[in-house]
Amino acid sequence: MGNTFGHLFRITTFGESHGGGVGVVIDGCPPLLEISEAEIQVELDRRKPGQSKITTPRRESDICEIISGVFEGKTTGTAIAILVRNQDARSQDYNEMAEKYRPSHADVTYDAKYGIRSWQGGGRSSARETIGRVAAGAIAKKILQQVAGIEVIGYVSRIKDLEAIVDPNTVTLAQVESNIVRCPDSECADKMIDLIDQIRREKDSIGGVVECVARNLPKGLGMPVFDKLEADLAKAVMSLPASKGFEIGSGFAGTLLKGSEHNDEYYLDEDKEIRTRTNRSGGIQGGISNGENITLRVAFKPTATIGKEQNTVTRSKEETVLAAKGRHDPCVLPRAVPMVEAMVALVLCDHLLRHHAQCNLL
Amino acid sequence: MGNTFGHLFRITTFGESHGGGVGVVIDGCPPLLEISEAEIQVELDRRKPGQSKITTPRRESDICEIISGVFEGKTTGTAIAILVRNQDARSQDYNEMAEKYRPSHADVTYDAKYGIRSWQGGGRSSARETIGRVAAGAIAKKILQQVAGIEVIGYVSRIKDLEAIVDPNTVTLAQVESNIVRCPDSECADKMIDLIDQIRREKDSIGGVVECVARNLPKGLGMPVFDKLEADLAKAVMSLPASKGFEIGSGFAGTLLKGSEHNDEYYLDEDKEIRTRTNRSGGIQGGISNGENITLRVAFKPTATIGKEQNTVTRSKEETVLAAKGRHDPCVLPRAVPMVEAMVALVLCDHLLRHHAQCNLL
Amino acid sequence: MGNTFGHLFRITTFGESHGGGVGVVIDGCPPLLEISEAEIQVELDRRKPGQSKITTPRRESDICEIISGVFEGKTTGTAIAILVRNQDARSQDYNEMAEKYRPSHADVTYDAKYGIRSWQGGGRSSARETIGRVAAGAIAKKILQQVAGIEVIGYVSRIKDLEAIVDPNTVTLAQVESNIVRCPDSECADKMIDLIDQIRREKDSIGGVVECVARNLPKGLGMPVFDKLEADLAKAVMSLPASKGFEIGSGFAGTLLKGSEHNDEYYLDEDKEIRTRTNRSGGIQGGISNGENITLRVAFKPTATIGKEQNTVTRSKEETVLAAKGRHDPCVLPRAVPMVEAMVALVLCDHLLRHHAQCNLL
Amino acid sequence: MGNTFGHLFRITTFGESHGGGVGVVIDGCPPLLEISEAEIQVELDRRKPGQSKITTPRRESDICEIISGVFEGKTTGTAIAILVRNQDARSQDYNEMAEKYRPSHADVTYDAKYGIRSWQGGGRSSARETIGRVAAGAIAKKILQQVAGIEVIGYVSRIKDLEAIVDPNTVTLAQVESNIVRCPDSECADKMIDLIDQIRREKDSIGGVVECVARNLPKGLGMPVFDKLEADLAKAVMSLPASKGFEIGSGFAGTLLKGSEHNDEYYLDEDKEIRTRTNRSGGIQGGISNGENITLRVAFKPTATIGKEQNTVTRSKEETVLAAKGRHDPCVLPRAVPMVEAMVALVLCDHLLRHHAQCNLL
């Protein structure tokens, strides 16, 4: 359980850091969508390790193979399976971690829950697990674009205490991809890169905040009560490794305002469309999109695996000290950007189908 | 869709602010649990309107009736249905809101999605919808208590900028219930009450933060990948009306630390149990509980419906001004406490069953 | 678990034979459908006990109340809750059955599973449980009719060895409702009624077969692999009390033919539409509707509860003899007709929405 | 949608007849189960084509690879992915079928639903799709055996009008596997083999009935209302290609008996266990297992694809004639046996976990 996400556009992921590979099965994709391995690869390349000096040096080309569900370049409406083989696995790096639990990592809890753990590279708790999400997200993004011109753009908005200035209403993918930290504020990006590089040399790690915006949304996505759009978005991104917090619109800062300051007043635009002048709601009211941009933020903690010495215990219950070997990201944020985008796209695509089913039938 | 929550301990809610009533169907409850309407009523009374001068004056006794699933005081394992009739509905208060959209409320989005809206009292978007959650949460809490001594305690930790000092490891229900704002820091509570009362007189509203702790958790609840415990908790509380943000453990503040500062180092306690000295993980690592206390925070925005004049538009697309009538909470926080507890209890109970099914069978 | 059915048009039922009542929550219903309690009551009246001399004499008016989800005569898109209160419960009739297990009834298995059982009237295993299904089915039927002119008609095709001659392509609801056994072959119906009446006097029971046809179906409903249309129909009707067998199209008899005899050859009708001359497929090929009429049959065993003496055992594990009191149908078939129709309509409606979501979006 | 089956022990299959391969992801498997590719291969070999003169001559070794979820020979509790590559695909055989629709096959309905179809070998509608089910079924069987000594045995009980005599209470796997038609009545089996061989030479096809028994079941599996054990079993086997009917216990024949003849009277065996002398219930009462053997039957129609000439139409809507090329089974029954067993095992395993979660917790 727990390896499936979504209700109508539904993905099931599989695979571990080491072993046969990782992948995803996508169920419920509309038929006749043109899709190629190359399009999926673009997103996987944004996620893959070894892409720059501030990511883990593990070398994985992460080449994807579409096993099924696509015929002559188009989706057939049946299950799409995508597989990425593992390549540069170095199990020996993990020999020590087979026995010594990494603090704040999943080692202890997996062992406690299952009594067994694929300890090589973290097994299922490795961030390689997100490959399937990103591959599926590439397809979700294409559907969103094609059906309604919706675009989903994520970016690093803060690294530790370095806060970028970005306008979610105008930021472009090109700006995000213009530097290796994926922060569209290029001045701040330089500082971020320097900081991450310095932390890497200290064998330590840092975290930060990814912001994500979805634009051109139709009104009406999302549902009352439990499957509110912000609830499904929260679950989606809080299921990413290392995430510790979620905000929609004004988030925690909004709690400092009075209602009269916080409310987004309505007006009619030139097309007599109902709009809000401000967007503290983050594009969602009562769980349903109001047509304004959806804006959300995700907090990512500093990477748990670090080269510095830490006190810990062993599987056989001895206290010990661990300085982790293996190849790890000093900061997950740059690679988390495509992950957040993928999860947001998956939620929006699922709700697009759900809304269409219920509200465009009669 | 969207009215069901949970996988094994699963609830489906129904009902609107005005009309026949509100309620819940609970599916998957273990049999032979002793439960009474009186026990459920205790929680409903914490949630009900009119309980103090800082909540809405709407008078609802919110008396619950168990329709099915309990026989001679014990659960039978079949569907438990609980119904609460509406009483003090004053539809006339809403006549104006039938036509004028309340800013930052669900009025516009429901109309956009469905083309129809039970506008009396907000219909399904009313906070009365949470009655079913709280009733089901009362049962979930009892199971948690009985199976593993787990206790779930929520409290108001901040109102606007008034921040309380509370130790989640020791706070008691009695402390929470000792004042009408449900803040265990009694000195701060007095200030909060004064502030809410003043805002009420200003016909405005304010928000804040509810913190919640779950104690005595076994290791092993939660699942890898999508149904991580923090992901399900995030969805659960972000589905509550007016919630805008979620944090687990160190949350957003944790992103300001280095890995070496943030990691929770392990040690062995006197029983040779693996423990952490700090708890920035908030009791969850890799999506699975590690036996430490689960701590989370939820941001609630200021109530959208206020008596102050606001610019808005009408259903027939005219710009206008609205000063909302009806009876509304100047601050949802005191009544949000039992709602957050209920959602947390529902998630933990569901994962308790899911863990038991998979990991205690062979 | 087990009290919810359907994926997009989803129902959750609750309630027992005795106690507060029975009902259903319908989630995912399209908005703006005109629906009234009177329309639902028509179907409930076809199901209710005491409607003729060949059904149980228990008197229940089975008046339904729509609690939520309908506003000014139209569905709002939110959860529809429908409640029917129990009236003529005579618990004393069941005192003996509290202790003595009825052969071939659910008494033993409920006790074995749950360790507790609402023994009054069979509790959750009572056929009163189907009230929620029939109420929801009434709404599903209306959607099917409105969206695509689909009609679902069930009828009794066999009672014990009395086999009716009915043409599923032309049978009408009026013909079905023209007699109390719901068999459109009026000559055979008379014999069936006599037989049931005689069996009733013998304090025994009989079974038979309900046939059901769905007409005017669009091509394309249903899905490959697990959610084939016939698979979901099979589950739907095999979840009805007393059902023992299911056939689609040629069913078991089709296994006696060669492929060259069994296959439905294609031709083009005057509108150049692809049609089959025969319909041994029963309107479904590869799990997906082909536009021909869907025909299915459900076997119902003789009612388990009978007045005749039978050997059995008690809850306290003594062998004994039971001649059941209480009021029971000598033959469930006449009342099973609206139940089968309801389940078929629910499946078709769910697949209508599912198909619309996936295949009519791009 | 429709590629996932099960609630707690849940499988998702993917893949087509031609293309990258077929496979399955198993989610929710208990950890620490010893499992190997060799054990899974045993079941796949029973299903694979080319195994005898009465099956299709297509040569596929169907070698499985466990991609993830198993570590050092044991399940880890995380998603198990199994992949089987396609080998002997001859797309050219299907060139004609790209244009000409096969009567009673899924060609027309897939095209109608999706507007596209992987026509090579039937794409997703090919029986190769069942490889994932059989692989997952092998694991389910092992769990059933290990937890409760449950065994699931299927066999051919009828080919066309050749009916075997088999005692479900004593039949063994060795008897089933003692001949190529998988009928434990060896005398009848010889006749069946001759008949299939003759039909094959006639370029025609035949169907029949597979019977399946599950023995050593605990009391209490299954659930009231929609997820009755027989309902889930019905869906499971009616989702297999070519199935047209389902019976549990007495099935359709039971409708010819009176209640006094049909009921299974209770008695106490020497261990004071409540048992039934007869088993017309087929091991299930009120949707829940009663500890007796579960017996069910599945009708399989004659294979739709035949070499004989048939009238049909083309994709471009011309009437034509088709004599199908390609390699097809003259009778699916021998290979359907492991498929039925797999589906039954999957349902029982899922309900074993579901029962354990709800009823063994408190």
Side-chain angles (χ1 to χ4, degrees):
Chain A
M1 299 302 311
N3 295 288
T4 295
F5 184 79
H7 196 76
L8 282 184
F9 190 88
R10 184 150 65 167
I11 72 169
T12 300
T13 69
F14 57 88
E16 286 122 29
S17 176
H18 297 196
V22 294
V24 64
V25 182
I26 303 160
D27 199 0
C29 184
L32 297 171
L33 181 80
E34 291 186 24
I35 196 77
S36 67
E37 284 161 347
E39 288 172 288
I40 295 165
Q41 200 63 47
V42 170
E43 294 291 338
L44 292 180
D45 287 350
R46 297 175 72 207
R47 195 219 73 92
K48 78 176 174 190
Q51 60 183 270
S52 79
K53 67 176 178 178
I54 58 171
T55 64
T56 169
R58 178 168 171 173
R59 291 272 159 204
E60 291 283 349
S61 49
D62 284 354
I63 301 297
C64 69
E65 176 193 7
I66 298 177
I67 302 274
S68 69
V70 176
F71 186 68
E72 298 180 341
K74 289 180 183 161
T75 58
T76 60
T78 61
I80 302 170
I82 301 172
L83 177 65
V84 169
R85 293 287 186 180
N86 293 324
Q87 294 179 315
D88 183 25
R90 294 194 200 154
S91 301
Q92 68 279 16
D93 284 353
Y94 290 86
N95 285 344
E96 191 178 12
M97 269 104 88
E99 187 53 20
K100 295 183 182 177
Y101 289 128
R102 285 171 291 175
S104 286
H105 211 287
D107 301 347
V108 154
T109 53
Y110 272 54
D111 257 358
K113 183 178 187 69
Y114 297 123
I116 184 173
R117 172 173 61 97
S118 169
W119 47 264
Q120 298 169 326
R124 186 70 173 140
S125 75
S126 161
R128 281 191 74 65
E129 166 267 310
T130 61
I131 284 177
R133 310 180 186 221
V134 171
I139 297 179
K141 278 182 182 176
K142 187 144 190 203
I143 294 170
L144 292 173
Q145 177 63 44
Q146 197 155 316
V147 170
I150 301 167
E151 53 183 359
V152 176
I153 299 181
Y155 46 88
V156 171
S157 72
R158 184 158 61 73
I159 295 287
K160 207 163 180 277
D161 51 356
L162 295 173
E163 183 122 28
I165 297 167
V166 185
D167 180 355
N169 302 312
T170 56
V171 64
T172 67
L173 177 61
Q175 289 166 350
V176 175
E177 295 300 307
S178 68
N179 58 62
I180 58 176
V181 77
R182 292 203 169 84
C183 172
D185 174 344
S186 59
E187 205 171 329
C188 189
D190 289 344
K191 292 180 199 158
M192 288 171 169
I193 294 168
D194 287 348
L195 178 59
I196 296 172
D197 206 40
Q198 174 199 323
I199 289 288
R200 183 183 60 74
R201 287 189 307 264
E202 292 174 14
K203 299 192 174 183
D204 212 330
S205 64
I206 44 176
V209 174
V210 169
E211 196 161 276
C212 186
V213 60
R215 295 191 297 228
N216 299 327
L217 251 87
K219 286 186 173 78
L221 302 195
M223 306 209 149
V225 192
F226 300 110
D227 296 355
K228 290 192 168 84
L229 198 50
E230 65 268 45
D232 280 353
L233 288 167
K235 170 166 171 140
V237 297
M238 290 304 299
S239 75
L240 287 170
S243 62
K244 299 299 287 180
F246 169 82
E247 292 182 322
I248 185 84
S250 63
F252 281 87
T255 64
L256 298 171
L257 301 177
K258 296 184 192 177
S260 57
E261 298 161 342
H262 188 273
N263 283 347
D264 297 316
E265 293 191 327
Y266 292 115
Y267 73 102
L268 296 169
D269 70 9
E270 54 239 36
D271 304 322
K272 282 280 191 181
E273 198 68 35
I274 299 172
R275 300 290 307 276
T276 65
R277 293 196 189 275
T278 51
N279 186 19
R280 295 184 196 95
S281 298
I284 304 174
Q285 287 166 342
I288 298 170
S289 66
N290 67 356
E292 306 297 327
N293 292 340
I294 290 182
T295 56
L296 58 89
R297 275 168 304 285
V298 193
F300 288 93
K301 68 173 184 178
T303 319
T305 312
I306 55 176
K308 276 200 168 173
E309 276 202 351
Q310 300 174 92
N311 293 313
T312 189
V313 298
T314 66
R315 235 196 147 191
S316 37
K317 299 213 170 175
E318 305 283 338
E319 297 197 336
T320 184
V321 163
L322 171 72
K325 295 198 190 66
R327 296 154 297 172
H328 311 285
D329 289 280
C331 178
V332 301
L333 277 282
R335 293 176 62 204
V337 167
M339 299 179 201
V340 169
E341 286 178 7
M343 293 314 296
V344 170
L346 288 167
V347 169
L348 294 179
C349 188
D350 192 32
H351 274 283
L352 196 68
L353 268 72
R354 293 173 74 174
H355 177 69
H356 186 65
Q358 187 185 13
C359 297
N360 295 340
L361 182 76
L362 289 188
Chain B
M1 299 302 311
N3 295 288
T4 295
F5 184 79
H7 196 75
L8 282 184
F9 190 87
R10 184 150 63 169
I11 73 170
T12 301
T13 69
F14 58 88
E16 286 121 30
S17 175
H18 297 196
V22 294
V24 65
V25 182
I26 304 160
D27 199 0
C29 184
L32 297 172
L33 181 80
E34 290 186 24
I35 196 76
S36 68
E37 285 160 346
E39 288 171 289
I40 295 164
Q41 200 63 48
V42 169
E43 294 291 340
L44 292 180
D45 287 350
R46 296 175 72 207
R47 195 219 72 91
K48 79 176 174 189
Q51 61 183 270
S52 80
K53 67 176 178 178
I54 57 171
T55 64
T56 167
R58 178 168 169 173
R59 292 270 161 204
E60 292 282 348
S61 49
D62 285 353
I63 302 296
C64 70
E65 176 193 6
I66 297 177
I67 302 274
S68 69
V70 176
F71 185 68
E72 297 180 343
K74 289 180 184 161
T75 57
T76 60
T78 61
I80 301 170
I82 301 172
L83 177 65
V84 168
R85 293 288 187 179
N86 293 324
Q87 294 179 315
D88 184 24
R90 293 194 201 154
S91 301
Q92 69 279 15
D93 284 354
Y94 290 86
N95 285 344
E96 191 179 12
M97 269 104 89
E99 186 54 21
K100 294 182 181 178
Y101 290 128
R102 285 170 291 173
S104 286
H105 211 287
D107 301 347
V108 155
T109 52
Y110 272 55
D111 257 359
K113 183 177 187 69
Y114 297 122
I116 185 173
R117 172 172 60 99
S118 169
W119 47 265
Q120 300 168 327
R124 187 70 174 140
S125 74
S126 162
R128 281 191 76 65
E129 166 267 309
T130 62
I131 284 177
R133 309 180 187 221
V134 171
I139 297 178
K141 278 181 182 178
K142 189 148 190 201
I143 293 170
L144 292 172
Q145 177 63 44
Q146 197 154 315
V147 171
I150 301 166
E151 54 183 359
V152 176
I153 299 181
Y155 45 87
V156 171
S157 72
R158 184 158 60 73
I159 294 287
K160 206 163 181 276
D161 52 356
L162 295 173
E163 183 121 28
I165 298 169
V166 185
D167 180 355
N169 302 310
T170 57
V171 64
T172 67
L173 177 62
Q175 289 166 349
V176 175
E177 295 300 307
S178 68
N179 58 62
I180 58 176
V181 77
R182 292 202 169 84
C183 172
D185 175 343
S186 59
E187 204 171 328
C188 188
D190 289 344
K191 291 180 199 157
M192 289 170 168
I193 294 167
D194 288 348
L195 179 58
I196 296 173
D197 205 39
Q198 174 199 323
I199 290 288
R200 182 183 61 74
R201 286 191 307 264
E202 293 174 11
K203 300 191 174 181
D204 212 330
S205 65
I206 43 176
V209 174
V210 169
E211 196 161 274
C212 187
V213 61
R215 297 191 297 230
N216 300 326
L217 251 86
K219 287 187 173 77
L221 302 195
M223 307 210 147
V225 192
F226 299 111
D227 295 355
K228 289 191 169 83
L229 198 52
E230 65 268 44
D232 279 353
L233 288 167
K235 171 167 171 141
V237 297
M238 290 303 300
S239 75
L240 287 170
S243 62
K244 300 299 287 182
F246 169 82
E247 293 183 320
I248 185 83
S250 63
F252 281 87
T255 63
L256 298 171
L257 301 177
K258 296 184 192 177
S260 57
E261 298 162 342
H262 188 273
N263 283 347
D264 297 316
E265 293 191 328
Y266 292 115
Y267 74 102
L268 296 170
D269 70 9
E270 54 238 35
D271 304 323
K272 281 281 190 182
E273 197 67 37
I274 299 173
R275 300 289 308 276
T276 65
R277 291 195 192 276
T278 52
N279 185 19
R280 293 183 198 96
S281 298
I284 305 175
Q285 287 166 340
I288 298 169
S289 66
N290 67 355
E292 306 297 327
N293 292 339
I294 289 182
T295 55
L296 57 90
R297 274 169 303 286
V298 193
F300 288 94
K301 68 174 184 179
T303 319
T305 312
I306 56 176
K308 276 200 166 172
E309 278 204 351
Q310 299 173 92
N311 294 313
T312 189
V313 298
T314 66
R315 238 198 143 188
S316 37
K317 301 215 170 174
E318 305 284 336
E319 298 196 336
T320 185
V321 164
L322 171 71
K325 293 199 191 64
R327 295 153 298 171
H328 310 286
D329 289 279
C331 178
V332 300
L333 278 281
R335 294 176 62 204
V337 167
M339 299 179 200
V340 169
E341 286 178 8
M343 294 313 296
V344 170
L346 288 167
V347 169
L348 295 178
C349 188
D350 192 32
H351 273 283
L352 196 68
L353 269 73
R354 293 173 72 176
H355 177 68
H356 186 65
Q358 188 186 12
C359 297
N360 295 340
L361 181 76
L362 289 188
Chain C
M1 299 301 310
N3 295 288
T4 295
F5 184 80
H7 195 77
L8 282 184
F9 190 87
R10 184 149 64 167
I11 72 170
T12 301
T13 69
F14 58 87
E16 287 121 29
S17 176
H18 297 195
V22 294
V24 64
V25 182
I26 303 160
D27 198 359
C29 184
L32 297 172
L33 181 79
E34 290 186 24
I35 197 76
S36 68
E37 285 161 346
E39 289 171 288
I40 296 165
Q41 201 62 48
V42 169
E43 294 292 338
L44 291 180
D45 287 350
R46 295 176 72 208
R47 196 220 72 91
K48 78 176 174 189
Q51 61 182 270
S52 79
K53 66 176 178 178
I54 58 172
T55 64
T56 169
R58 178 168 169 173
R59 293 269 158 206
E60 291 283 350
S61 49
D62 284 354
I63 300 298
C64 70
E65 177 193 6
I66 297 177
I67 302 274
S68 69
V70 176
F71 185 68
E72 297 180 344
K74 290 180 183 160
T75 57
T76 60
T78 61
I80 302 169
I82 302 172
L83 176 66
V84 169
R85 292 287 187 180
N86 293 324
Q87 294 180 314
D88 184 25
R90 293 193 202 156
S91 301
Q92 69 278 16
D93 285 354
Y94 290 86
N95 284 344
E96 193 178 11
M97 268 103 89
E99 187 54 21
K100 295 182 181 179
Y101 289 128
R102 284 171 291 174
S104 286
H105 211 288
D107 301 346
V108 155
T109 52
Y110 272 54
D111 257 358
K113 183 177 186 70
Y114 297 122
I116 185 174
R117 171 173 61 98
S118 169
W119 48 264
Q120 299 169 326
R124 187 68 174 140
S125 74
S126 161
R128 281 191 76 64
E129 166 267 310
T130 61
I131 284 177
R133 309 180 187 222
V134 170
I139 297 178
K141 278 182 182 176
K142 188 146 189 201
I143 293 170
L144 292 173
Q145 177 62 45
Q146 197 155 317
V147 170
I150 301 168
E151 53 182 359
V152 176
I153 300 182
Y155 45 87
V156 172
S157 72
R158 183 157 62 71
I159 295 288
K160 207 163 179 275
D161 51 358
L162 294 173
E163 183 121 27
I165 297 168
V166 184
D167 180 355
N169 301 312
T170 57
V171 64
T172 66
L173 176 62
Q175 288 166 349
V176 175
E177 294 300 308
S178 68
N179 58 62
I180 58 177
V181 77
R182 292 202 170 85
C183 172
D185 174 344
S186 59
E187 204 172 328
C188 188
D190 289 344
K191 291 181 199 158
M192 289 170 168
I193 294 167
D194 287 348
L195 179 59
I196 297 172
D197 206 39
Q198 174 199 323
I199 289 288
R200 182 184 60 76
R201 287 190 307 264
E202 291 174 14
K203 299 190 174 182
D204 212 330
S205 65
I206 44 177
V209 175
V210 169
E211 197 161 277
C212 187
V213 61
R215 296 191 296 229
N216 299 327
L217 251 85
K219 287 187 173 79
L221 302 195
M223 305 210 150
V225 193
F226 300 111
D227 295 355
K228 289 191 168 84
L229 198 51
E230 65 268 45
D232 279 354
L233 288 167
K235 171 167 171 139
V237 297
M238 290 303 300
S239 75
L240 287 170
S243 62
K244 300 299 288 181
F246 169 82
E247 293 182 322
I248 186 84
S250 63
F252 281 87
T255 63
L256 298 171
L257 301 177
K258 296 182 191 177
S260 57
E261 297 162 343
H262 188 273
N263 281 349
D264 296 317
E265 293 190 328
Y266 292 115
Y267 73 100
L268 296 170
D269 70 9
E270 54 238 37
D271 303 323
K272 281 282 191 180
E273 197 68 36
I274 298 173
R275 300 288 308 276
T276 64
R277 293 196 189 278
T278 51
N279 186 19
R280 293 183 198 96
S281 299
I284 305 174
Q285 287 166 341
I288 298 169
S289 66
N290 67 357
E292 307 296 326
N293 292 340
I294 289 183
T295 55
L296 59 88
R297 274 169 303 286
V298 192
F300 288 94
K301 69 173 184 177
T303 320
T305 312
I306 55 175
K308 276 200 168 174
E309 277 202 351
Q310 301 173 91
N311 294 313
T312 189
V313 297
T314 66
R315 238 196 144 191
S316 37
K317 299 216 172 174
E318 304 283 337
E319 297 196 336
T320 185
V321 163
L322 172 71
K325 292 197 191 66
R327 295 154 297 171
H328 310 287
D329 289 279
C331 178
V332 301
L333 277 282
R335 294 176 61 204
V337 167
M339 299 178 200
V340 169
E341 287 177 7
M343 294 312 297
V344 169
L346 289 167
V347 169
L348 295 178
C349 187
D350 191 32
H351 274 284
L352 196 67
L353 269 72
R354 292 172 73 175
H355 177 69
H356 186 65
Q358 187 186 12
C359 297
N360 296 339
L361 181 76
L362 290 187
Chain D
M1 299 300 311
N3 295 288
T4 295
F5 184 79
H7 196 75
L8 282 184
F9 190 87
R10 185 150 62 168
I11 72 170
T12 301
T13 70
F14 58 88
E16 287 121 30
S17 176
H18 297 197
V22 294
V24 65
V25 182
I26 303 161
D27 198 359
C29 184
L32 297 172
L33 182 80
E34 291 186 23
I35 196 77
S36 67
E37 285 161 347
E39 288 171 288
I40 295 165
Q41 199 63 48
V42 169
E43 293 292 339
L44 291 180
D45 287 350
R46 295 176 73 207
R47 196 220 71 91
K48 80 177 173 189
Q51 61 183 272
S52 79
K53 66 175 180 179
I54 58 171
T55 64
T56 168
R58 178 167 170 173
R59 292 270 158 204
E60 291 283 349
S61 49
D62 284 354
I63 301 297
C64 70
E65 176 193 6
I66 297 177
I67 302 274
S68 69
V70 176
F71 185 68
E72 298 180 343
K74 289 180 184 161
T75 57
T76 59
T78 61
I80 302 170
I82 302 172
L83 176 65
V84 169
R85 293 287 187 180
N86 293 323
Q87 295 179 315
D88 184 24
R90 294 193 201 155
S91 300
Q92 69 278 16
D93 285 352
Y94 290 86
N95 285 344
E96 192 179 11
M97 268 104 89
E99 187 54 22
K100 294 182 181 177
Y101 289 128
R102 284 171 292 174
S104 286
H105 211 288
D107 301 347
V108 154
T109 52
Y110 272 55
D111 257 359
K113 183 177 186 70
Y114 297 121
I116 185 174
R117 172 173 60 98
S118 169
W119 48 264
Q120 298 169 326
R124 187 68 175 140
S125 74
S126 162
R128 281 191 76 65
E129 165 267 310
T130 61
I131 284 177
R133 308 181 187 221
V134 171
I139 298 178
K141 278 182 182 177
K142 189 147 190 201
I143 294 170
L144 292 172
Q145 177 63 44
Q146 197 154 315
V147 171
I150 301 168
E151 53 183 0
V152 176
I153 299 182
Y155 45 87
V156 171
S157 72
R158 185 157 61 72
I159 294 288
K160 206 164 181 275
D161 52 356
L162 295 173
E163 182 122 30
I165 298 169
V166 185
D167 180 356
N169 301 311
T170 58
V171 64
T172 67
L173 177 62
Q175 288 167 351
V176 175
E177 295 299 308
S178 68
N179 58 62
I180 59 176
V181 78
R182 292 202 171 85
C183 172
D185 174 344
S186 60
E187 205 171 327
C188 188
D190 290 343
K191 292 181 198 156
M192 289 171 167
I193 294 167
D194 287 349
L195 179 59
I196 296 173
D197 205 40
Q198 175 199 321
I199 289 287
R200 182 183 60 76
R201 288 190 307 263
E202 291 174 14
K203 300 190 173 180
D204 212 330
S205 65
I206 45 176
V209 174
V210 169
E211 197 161 275
C212 187
V213 61
R215 296 191 297 229
N216 300 328
L217 251 87
K219 286 186 173 78
L221 302 194
M223 307 210 147
V225 192
F226 299 112
D227 295 355
K228 290 191 168 84
L229 198 51
E230 65 268 45
D232 279 354
L233 288 167
K235 171 166 172 140
V237 297
M238 290 302 301
S239 75
L240 287 170
S243 62
K244 300 298 287 181
F246 169 82
E247 293 183 321
I248 185 84
S250 63
F252 281 87
T255 64
L256 298 170
L257 301 177
K258 296 183 191 177
S260 57
E261 298 161 342
H262 188 274
N263 282 349
D264 296 317
E265 292 190 328
Y266 291 115
Y267 73 101
L268 296 170
D269 71 8
E270 53 239 36
D271 304 323
K272 280 281 190 181
E273 197 68 36
I274 299 174
R275 299 289 309 277
T276 65
R277 293 197 190 276
T278 51
N279 186 18
R280 293 183 198 97
S281 299
I284 305 174
Q285 287 166 341
I288 297 169
S289 66
N290 67 356
E292 306 297 327
N293 293 339
I294 289 182
T295 56
L296 58 89
R297 274 169 304 285
V298 193
F300 288 94
K301 68 174 184 177
T303 319
T305 311
I306 56 175
K308 276 200 166 174
E309 277 203 351
Q310 300 174 92
N311 294 313
T312 190
V313 297
T314 66
R315 235 196 146 191
S316 37
K317 299 217 172 173
E318 304 285 335
E319 297 196 336
T320 186
V321 164
L322 171 71
K325 293 198 191 65
R327 295 153 298 170
H328 310 286
D329 289 280
C331 178
V332 301
L333 277 282
R335 295 175 62 205
V337 167
M339 299 178 200
V340 169
E341 287 176 8
M343 294 312 297
V344 169
L346 288 166
V347 169
L348 295 178
C349 187
D350 192 32
H351 274 283
L352 196 67
L353 268 74
R354 292 173 72 175
H355 177 68
H356 186 65
Q358 188 185 11
C359 297
N360 295 341
L361 182 76
L362 290 188

